[in-house]
Amino acid sequence: MPDEFAVELINVAKQFDQVVAVDNVSLQIRDGEFFSLLGPSGCGKTTTLRMIGGFEMPTSGNVLIGGEIQGFKPPFQRPVNTVFQSYALFPHMTIFDNVAFGLQMKKVSKSEIKQRVNEMLELVQLSDVGRRKPNQLSGGQQQRIALARALINKPKVLLLDEPLGALDLKLRKAMQLELKALQQRVGITFIYVTHDQEEALTMSDRIAVMNQGKVLHLDTPEEIYEHPANRFVADFIGETNFMEGKVSQLNEERVFVAVDDQVPVPLLPTRDVQLGQVVTVAVRPEKLSVSAEKKREVDIPGTIDEVIYIGTDIRYIVRITEKTTLAVREQNRGGLSAQRFSIGDHIHIGWYARNASLLTE
Amino acid sequence: MTKRLNPQAMKTPFRFKIGRYILTAHGLLSYVFLYAPIIILIIFSFNASKFVTGRWHGFTLIWYQKLFVDEAIGAALRNSLYISLVATFVSTIFGTMVSLAMERYNFWGKMPFDALLYLPIIIPDIAMAVMLLLFFVMVKIPLGKLTIIISHIAFDISFVAIVVRARLAQFDSALEEAAQDLYANNWKTFRYVTFPLLMPGILAGALLAFTLSLDDFVITFFTAGPGSSTLPLRIYSLVKLGVTPEINALSAVMLLASFLLVVLSVWLQKGGDGKVDFM
Ligand SMILES: Nc1ncnc2c1ncn2[C@@H]1O[C@H](COP(=O)(O)OP(=O)(O)OP(=O)(O)O)[C@@H](O)[C@H]1O
Ligand SMILES: [Mg+2]
């Protein structure tokens, strides 16, 4: 038998009337993993999550949880729990009863319920709110209660749909770390939906980047950031410079792309590219540096078009050809070593060949 | 109050002030017009004179006393309560079910069905009364309490459905999904989440139905048979023989009861967004 996955999707598709929300997605989520579904609005993240939870049935394909085919099983028969975006706490019940709900439905004894609810409230650091109603809690507190209400059932997998979406930025950042720490402590598989790339990068073990119902890239945050699989992923996650060109030279060690048919850019050899093929070179602004003369392996002369001061960084927009400009981010170290350039200066942009990616789609 | 919060209000131009006074006066007059007859009716129910109009002869409770020992009125009251309670009970169940079906499911022919549901609210009472009477004669059900109850259920359902649906429309379906996610099957989800949250709406609908049943005259008049006279019918037959202060007293009592029921119903509907915790 192959490795058992916490959750596996095999060729899952979902169609609503005319809209294909999820298009033939296959995923394998490992036990104990913090797995994120990341993508722009409407790309099918929520629908994918809802098919795992049983709130939506796939038009075709299979959902497996713990190696078991789920078929048309309703949510209450699946060993997963959900933290809803709106929290969906029961407004007519106390916090204690909210958290106890799952155990009550499973007919756990009263004394055990009491003990486990109290433990759970302690875990989310809200021991003393048990007798309040949900509308007497702040947004952040409600969020924790929603988490406690799901976690108390010790699910195999916890599904979270943008659980921090309603919180302000500061609280959101704090909760990100808290959630991640909690996940590591309880060791439950988390499947986390977000459209915030920074959030996904910070928290996840692996990320599936989705667009238009398809998974475009599935890997660790580092791989996705450093070596995006295609143009969409490179663009969606972080900031990227794109250069268009044709492959002009190929050898064992380097591939050369003639950007705008003039500037040759060396890259590490990748997969199967052919001479003359139209490709895109992607490189992140913080990987570039600006200097008065040649300093790095890759070196392209250019002219400074714009200088933007952002406090922590200085951002240069450098024109390298008629059509193409590159954004460069230099850390604002200050002091004598930092040389500042101004508009119109003729400079060199440098980077290491390994930091650029060659994209064919 | 608002003046302190809103400096704009202090600078209201004079012509707007006049406008406001006229509006206020107009509103007050409307109320006088609506409630003056009622107030006069109540006042004269305490008048120590056999005649309903004219002079004030001093305060008395005798008409109320007479009311409570009157056999015929007692019987009518029992009929009224019995009919209203049964009609309310049945129409609340059906009205709630129909509003759940309308709000939750899509089925063929939903639109016309939806429109038909609200017809009894719009249609003139007299038309409905005649239709019902013809129907009962046609299917040969003898006129009596049963036919009154059936008729009341027929219009009560619409009112219950409207009130419950208003409540359902603001219901967050994620709450039901959350219950399902926490191992509650369909029945338990309804029992522990949907029903308690709908309860204020259902109670408000029931109270409205009860009030309407209790007060209904036209439809009851057409569908009643011997021995099934309700309070409004009784009042009518008494009035035909001449108005006595006893009728004033009876009307005052009914008015008070209806008023309390309506206030309770409105209060229940307003106790919105599931925050009501009298459950
Ligand atoms: N019940 C539904 N009926 C019809 N179309 C739907 C339904 N649910 C989702 N869709 C459509 O499916 C697509 C994917 O929706 P989904 O909610 O999965 O997106 P999402 O990635 O979660 O987006 P967001 O970040 O905005 O929440 C959208 O085009 C949406 O309009
Ligand atoms: Mg979504």
Side-chain angles (χ1 to χ4, degrees):
Chain A
M1 205 178 148
D3 257 348
E4 198 170 283
F5 295 104
V7 172
E8 195 172 358
L9 305 190
I10 305 172
N11 300 327
V12 170
K14 176 72 189 181
Q15 188 162 358
F16 294 108
D17 302 323
Q18 301 306 315
V19 189
V20 179
V22 175
D23 189 359
N24 205 25
V25 164
S26 294
L27 289 176
Q28 290 161 339
I29 298 162
R30 299 179 193 130
D31 241 340
E33 193 170 34
F34 196 118
F35 189 96
S36 291
L37 291 168
L38 173 65
S41 186
C43 72
K45 309 176 296 282
T46 297
T47 308
T48 307
L49 199 75
R50 286 171 62 82
M51 285 193 286
I52 300 171
F55 301 111
E56 222 71 80
M57 297 302 164
T59 314
S60 64
N62 276 318
V63 174
L64 281 75
I65 300 174
E68 247 180 76
I69 293 189
Q70 297 300 302
F72 290 103
K73 267 193 202 169
F76 50 87
Q77 286 171 2
R78 299 190 181 205
V80 299
N81 287 109
T82 308
V83 176
F84 293 85
Q85 177 164 14
S86 56
Y87 313 140
L89 298 178
F90 304 127
H92 58 301
M93 295 183 198
T94 61
I95 296 304
F96 184 97
D97 288 338
N98 263 281
V99 178
F101 194 84
L103 298 181
Q104 272 162 358
M105 291 301 113
K106 278 188 163 171
K107 302 224 158 65
V108 174
S109 76
K110 274 227 167 86
S111 57
E112 192 187 335
I113 289 181
K114 196 166 176 199
Q115 189 205 335
R116 277 171 69 179
V117 170
N118 286 332
E119 276 172 23
M120 208 63 224
L121 289 177
E122 217 160 283
L123 184 72
V124 296
Q125 296 159 27
L126 285 172
S127 311
D128 49 351
V129 302
R131 291 166 72 180
R132 291 200 217 163
K133 291 282 179 70
N135 62 358
Q136 295 169 313
L137 297 188
S138 73
Q141 289 171 327
Q142 290 183 25
Q143 207 282 323
R144 283 180 219 206
I145 294 304
L147 198 66
R149 187 178 67 172
L151 278 178
I152 197 169
N153 306 292
K154 299 183 179 152
K156 276 210 177 93
V157 180
L158 189 68
L159 310 175
L160 305 101
D161 191 355
E162 312 218 15
L164 307 182
L167 306 181
D168 65 61
L169 190 68
K170 206 164 169 193
L171 189 55
R172 203 180 158 111
K173 296 263 183 227
M175 284 300 294
Q176 283 174 9
L177 300 179
E178 211 174 291
L179 254 182
K180 175 78 183 169
L182 187 73
Q183 189 262 342
Q184 280 165 345
R185 194 142 26 116
V186 295
I188 291 174
T189 311
F190 274 34
I191 305 182
Y192 192 94
V193 163
T194 179
H195 62 254
D196 180 340
Q197 41 120 353
E198 203 180 317
E199 189 168 288
L201 291 175
T202 331
M203 302 171 80
S204 322
D205 294 320
R206 287 195 306 154
I207 301 173
V209 183
M210 293 183 70
N211 191 32
Q212 298 186 338
K214 291 198 175 73
V215 173
L216 297 184
H217 195 174
L218 195 167
D219 218 319
T220 59
E222 190 169 344
E223 273 301 306
I224 285 184
Y225 189 80
E226 301 293 341
H227 307 290
N230 51 51
R231 196 174 170 138
F232 177 84
V233 176
D235 202 23
F236 187 70
I237 300 193
E239 194 193 352
T240 308
N241 291 301
F242 293 110
M243 294 169 267
E244 318 279 348
K246 282 191 192 122
V247 178
S248 61
Q249 204 183 323
L250 269 172
N251 63 42
E252 296 283 290
E253 282 173 7
R254 291 287 183 264
V255 178
F256 285 86
V257 174
V259 171
D260 297 338
D261 290 324
Q262 30 182 323
V263 186
V265 174
L267 292 123
L268 297 189
T270 40
R271 288 172 287 179
D272 24 40
V273 286
Q274 275 139 30
L275 219 55
Q277 191 177 344
V278 178
V279 294
T280 306
V281 176
V283 60
R284 306 257 181 218
E286 74 273 14
K287 302 281 161 62
L288 307 181
S289 74
V290 179
S291 53
E293 63 275 343
K294 177 175 163 139
K295 250 170 62 178
R296 302 256 171 93
E297 183 203 344
V298 184
D299 179 84
I300 297 173
T303 321
I304 298 208
D305 250 18
E306 237 179 286
V307 182
I308 302 151
Y309 177 81
I310 339 180
T312 57
D313 295 304
I314 295 175
R315 200 181 148 85
Y316 296 108
I317 307 291
V318 180
R319 181 161 301 280
I320 57 164
T321 70
E322 287 273 303
K323 276 197 275 178
T324 309
T325 58
L326 298 182
V328 181
R329 231 163 110 169
E330 293 265 27
Q331 246 183 46
N332 184 10
R333 288 205 190 77
L336 293 172
S337 64
Q339 192 180 357
R340 292 276 289 273
F341 298 97
S342 20
I343 296 176
D345 286 0
H346 294 282
I347 46 83
H348 291 256
I349 297 184
W351 70 84
Y352 298 106
R354 65 181 140 83
N355 282 334
S357 320
L358 195 147
L359 308 174
T360 53
E361 42 183 295
Chain B
M1 277 293 290
T2 35
K3 270 188 186 162
R4 220 183 314 143
L5 295 173
N6 179 9
Q8 290 289 304
M10 296 217 253
K11 291 184 223 142
T12 311
F14 181 65
R15 62 198 158 95
F16 286 141
K17 264 192 204 157
I18 291 210
R20 202 174 295 161
Y21 290 141
I22 292 176
L23 261 182
T24 311
H26 180 84
L28 282 176
L29 273 175
S30 308
Y31 272 91
V32 169
F33 182 69
L34 266 175
Y35 286 101
I38 292 176
I39 291 166
I40 289 169
L41 179 140
I42 293 174
I43 291 173
F44 279 93
S45 73
F46 296 107
N47 190 8
S49 156
K50 255 189 140 2
F51 304 98
V52 244
T53 44
R55 291 261 176 85
W56 180 253
H57 288 266
F59 182 85
T60 178
L61 283 175
I62 189 158
W63 308 118
Y64 287 89
Q65 268 167 23
K66 274 199 164 177
L67 198 63
F68 288 109
V69 294
D70 187 322
E71 240 337 286
I73 286 177
L77 179 66
R78 277 192 296 280
N79 276 345
S80 263
L81 287 177
Y82 172 73
I83 289 165
S84 304
L85 283 173
V86 175
T88 301
F89 183 75
V90 176
S91 59
T92 301
I93 292 172
F94 281 116
T96 303
M97 288 193 331
V98 97
S99 57
L100 276 167
M102 287 296 185
E103 204 61 32
R104 289 299 160 79
Y105 300 103
N106 274 313
F107 47 87
W108 189 85
K110 180 173 167 173
M111 273 280 279
F113 197 71
D114 207 0
L116 280 177
L117 180 61
Y118 297 120
L119 204 57
I121 295 174
I122 307 159
I123 204 174
D125 271 3
I126 185 72
M128 186 149 169
V130 172
M131 288 186 311
L132 282 162
L133 176 62
L134 289 178
F135 171 75
F136 292 131
V137 170
M138 221 165 72
V139 297
K140 300 199 170 67
I141 303 180
L143 296 182
K145 280 184 210 154
L146 181 66
T147 49
I148 300 179
I149 288 174
I150 293 173
S151 311
H152 283 202
I153 291 171
F155 67 79
D156 278 346
I157 285 181
S158 304
F159 288 93
V160 174
I162 261 193
V163 174
V164 176
R165 255 182 105 170
R167 183 95 192 163
L168 257 179
Q170 28 163 298
F171 194 94
D172 180 8
S173 63
L175 292 174
E176 284 172 332
E177 289 187 341
Q180 299 246 310
D181 188 66
L182 297 164
Y183 319 112
N185 58 25
N186 293 334
W187 163 243
K188 283 182 172 169
T189 300
F190 182 77
R191 164 83 180 72
Y192 293 112
V193 176
T194 318
F195 185 66
L197 287 173
L198 278 188
M199 203 54 197
I202 295 174
L203 281 179
L207 280 175
L208 186 61
F210 186 73
T211 313
L212 290 169
S213 268
L214 205 59
D215 291 350
D216 180 73
F217 176 78
V218 178
I219 291 170
T220 313
F221 183 73
F222 275 71
T223 53
S228 63
S229 197
T230 63
L231 218 43
L233 297 195
R234 182 79 208 145
I235 293 176
Y236 177 68
S237 62
L238 286 177
V239 169
K240 275 199 296 195
L241 303 176
V243 184
T244 65
E246 205 180 335
I247 294 173
N248 279 16
L250 182 54
S251 305
V253 170
M254 280 188 77
L255 207 75
L256 185 69
S258 306
F259 181 71
L260 289 178
L261 287 171
V262 169
V263 167
L264 193 56
S265 167
V266 169
W267 181 72
L268 281 171
Q269 286 181 72
K270 284 239 170 117
D273 44 307
K275 279 180 205 151
V276 194
D277 39 13
F278 55 84
M279 288 296 307

Short mmCIF file of all heavy atoms in Angstrom, two decimals, chain A residues 243-262:
data_model
loop_
_atom_site.label_atom_id
_atom_site.label_comp_id
_atom_site.label_asym_id
_atom_site.label_seq_id
_atom_site.Cartn_x
_atom_site.Cartn_y
_atom_site.Cartn_z
N MET A 243 11.17 39.45 -17.98
CA MET A 243 11.85 39.86 -19.22
C MET A 243 11.50 38.85 -20.29
O MET A 243 11.61 37.65 -20.07
CB MET A 243 13.36 39.88 -19.01
CG MET A 243 13.82 40.94 -18.02
SD MET A 243 15.55 40.72 -17.56
CE MET A 243 15.42 39.72 -16.09
N GLU A 244 11.08 39.35 -21.45
CA GLU A 244 10.70 38.44 -22.53
C GLU A 244 11.87 38.31 -23.50
O GLU A 244 12.60 39.27 -23.73
CB GLU A 244 9.50 39.01 -23.31
CG GLU A 244 8.40 39.62 -22.48
CD GLU A 244 7.46 38.57 -21.91
OE1 GLU A 244 7.55 37.41 -22.36
OE2 GLU A 244 6.66 38.92 -21.01
N GLY A 245 11.98 37.12 -24.06
CA GLY A 245 13.06 36.97 -25.05
C GLY A 245 13.08 35.58 -25.66
O GLY A 245 12.24 34.73 -25.33
N LYS A 246 14.05 35.36 -26.55
CA LYS A 246 14.19 34.05 -27.18
C LYS A 246 15.46 33.40 -26.67
O LYS A 246 16.45 34.09 -26.37
CB LYS A 246 14.29 34.23 -28.70
CG LYS A 246 12.95 34.48 -29.35
CD LYS A 246 13.09 34.36 -30.86
CE LYS A 246 11.85 34.89 -31.56
NZ LYS A 246 12.15 35.99 -32.49
N VAL A 247 15.45 32.07 -26.62
CA VAL A 247 16.66 31.35 -26.23
C VAL A 247 17.67 31.51 -27.37
O VAL A 247 17.40 31.16 -28.52
CB VAL A 247 16.36 29.86 -25.99
CG1 VAL A 247 17.64 29.11 -25.65
CG2 VAL A 247 15.34 29.72 -24.87
N SER A 248 18.85 32.07 -27.04
CA SER A 248 19.80 32.39 -28.11
C SER A 248 21.01 31.46 -28.10
O SER A 248 21.73 31.35 -29.08
CB SER A 248 20.26 33.84 -27.98
OG SER A 248 20.92 33.99 -26.73
N GLN A 249 21.23 30.79 -26.98
CA GLN A 249 22.42 29.97 -26.87
C GLN A 249 22.17 28.94 -25.79
O GLN A 249 21.54 29.23 -24.77
CB GLN A 249 23.60 30.86 -26.49
CG GLN A 249 24.95 30.33 -26.87
CD GLN A 249 26.05 31.27 -26.37
OE1 GLN A 249 25.88 32.49 -26.38
NE2 GLN A 249 27.14 30.73 -25.91
N LEU A 250 22.66 27.71 -26.02
CA LEU A 250 22.42 26.61 -25.08
C LEU A 250 23.71 25.86 -24.87
O LEU A 250 24.34 25.46 -25.83
CB LEU A 250 21.43 25.61 -25.69
CG LEU A 250 19.94 25.77 -25.46
CD1 LEU A 250 19.19 24.79 -26.32
CD2 LEU A 250 19.63 25.53 -23.99
N ASN A 251 24.14 25.66 -23.63
CA ASN A 251 25.24 24.71 -23.40
C ASN A 251 25.04 24.01 -22.07
O ASN A 251 24.03 24.24 -21.38
CB ASN A 251 26.60 25.39 -23.53
CG ASN A 251 26.78 26.48 -22.47
OD1 ASN A 251 26.42 26.31 -21.32
ND2 ASN A 251 27.32 27.63 -22.90
N GLU A 252 25.96 23.18 -21.68
CA GLU A 252 25.86 22.38 -20.47
C GLU A 252 25.59 23.23 -19.23
O GLU A 252 24.85 22.86 -18.35
CB GLU A 252 27.16 21.61 -20.24
CG GLU A 252 27.49 20.59 -21.31
CD GLU A 252 26.66 19.33 -21.15
OE1 GLU A 252 26.89 18.59 -20.19
OE2 GLU A 252 25.74 19.12 -21.99
N GLU A 253 26.23 24.39 -19.18
CA GLU A 253 26.22 25.17 -17.94
C GLU A 253 25.24 26.33 -17.93
O GLU A 253 24.78 26.73 -16.85
CB GLU A 253 27.62 25.69 -17.66
CG GLU A 253 28.45 24.57 -17.09
CD GLU A 253 29.91 24.91 -16.93
OE1 GLU A 253 30.28 26.08 -17.15
OE2 GLU A 253 30.64 23.98 -16.60
N ARG A 254 24.96 26.84 -19.07
CA ARG A 254 24.11 28.03 -19.11
C ARG A 254 23.15 28.00 -20.29
O ARG A 254 23.44 27.43 -21.34
CB ARG A 254 24.96 29.31 -19.25
CG ARG A 254 25.78 29.65 -18.01
CD ARG A 254 24.90 30.17 -16.87
NE ARG A 254 25.67 30.58 -15.71
CZ ARG A 254 25.89 29.78 -14.65
NH1 ARG A 254 25.40 28.57 -14.60
NH2 ARG A 254 26.59 30.22 -13.62
N VAL A 255 22.02 28.65 -20.05
CA VAL A 255 21.10 28.95 -21.14
C VAL A 255 21.13 30.47 -21.28
O VAL A 255 21.10 31.18 -20.27
CB VAL A 255 19.66 28.53 -20.78
CG1 VAL A 255 18.69 28.90 -21.89
CG2 VAL A 255 19.59 27.06 -20.45
N PHE A 256 21.23 30.94 -22.52
CA PHE A 256 21.20 32.39 -22.71
C PHE A 256 19.89 32.79 -23.36
O PHE A 256 19.45 32.18 -24.32
CB PHE A 256 22.38 32.85 -23.57
CG PHE A 256 23.68 32.84 -22.81
CD1 PHE A 256 24.44 31.67 -22.71
CD2 PHE A 256 24.13 33.99 -22.18
CE1 PHE A 256 25.62 31.66 -21.99
CE2 PHE A 256 25.33 33.98 -21.47
CZ PHE A 256 26.07 32.81 -21.37
N VAL A 257 19.28 33.83 -22.78
CA VAL A 257 18.06 34.35 -23.36
C VAL A 257 18.34 35.78 -23.82
O VAL A 257 18.84 36.60 -23.04
CB VAL A 257 16.91 34.35 -22.33
CG1 VAL A 257 15.67 35.04 -22.90
CG2 VAL A 257 16.58 32.94 -21.89
N ALA A 258 18.05 36.05 -25.08
CA ALA A 258 18.25 37.40 -25.60
C ALA A 258 17.01 38.22 -25.31
O ALA A 258 15.99 38.10 -25.99
CB ALA A 258 18.53 37.36 -27.09
N VAL A 259 17.08 39.02 -24.24
CA VAL A 259 15.91 39.80 -23.83
C VAL A 259 15.65 40.90 -24.86
O VAL A 259 16.57 41.66 -25.20
CB VAL A 259 16.12 40.38 -22.43
CG1 VAL A 259 15.02 41.38 -22.09
CG2 VAL A 259 16.17 39.26 -21.41
N ASP A 260 14.44 40.97 -25.35
CA ASP A 260 14.04 41.91 -26.40
C ASP A 260 14.99 41.83 -27.59
O ASP A 260 15.31 42.84 -28.22
CB ASP A 260 13.99 43.34 -25.85
CG ASP A 260 12.94 43.47 -24.77
OD1 ASP A 260 12.00 42.64 -24.73
OD2 ASP A 260 13.05 44.40 -23.93
N ASP A 261 15.48 40.63 -27.85
CA ASP A 261 16.39 40.36 -28.97
C ASP A 261 17.70 41.13 -28.88
O ASP A 261 18.40 41.28 -29.87
CB ASP A 261 15.70 40.65 -30.32
CG ASP A 261 14.61 39.63 -30.61
OD1 ASP A 261 14.82 38.46 -30.25
OD2 ASP A 261 13.56 40.02 -31.15
N GLN A 262 18.04 41.64 -27.71
CA GLN A 262 19.31 42.37 -27.66
C GLN A 262 20.17 42.01 -26.46
O GLN A 262 21.33 41.68 -26.62
CB GLN A 262 19.08 43.87 -27.74
CG GLN A 262 17.75 44.34 -27.15
CD GLN A 262 17.53 45.81 -27.30
OE1 GLN A 262 18.48 46.58 -27.18
NE2 GLN A 262 16.30 46.22 -27.53
#
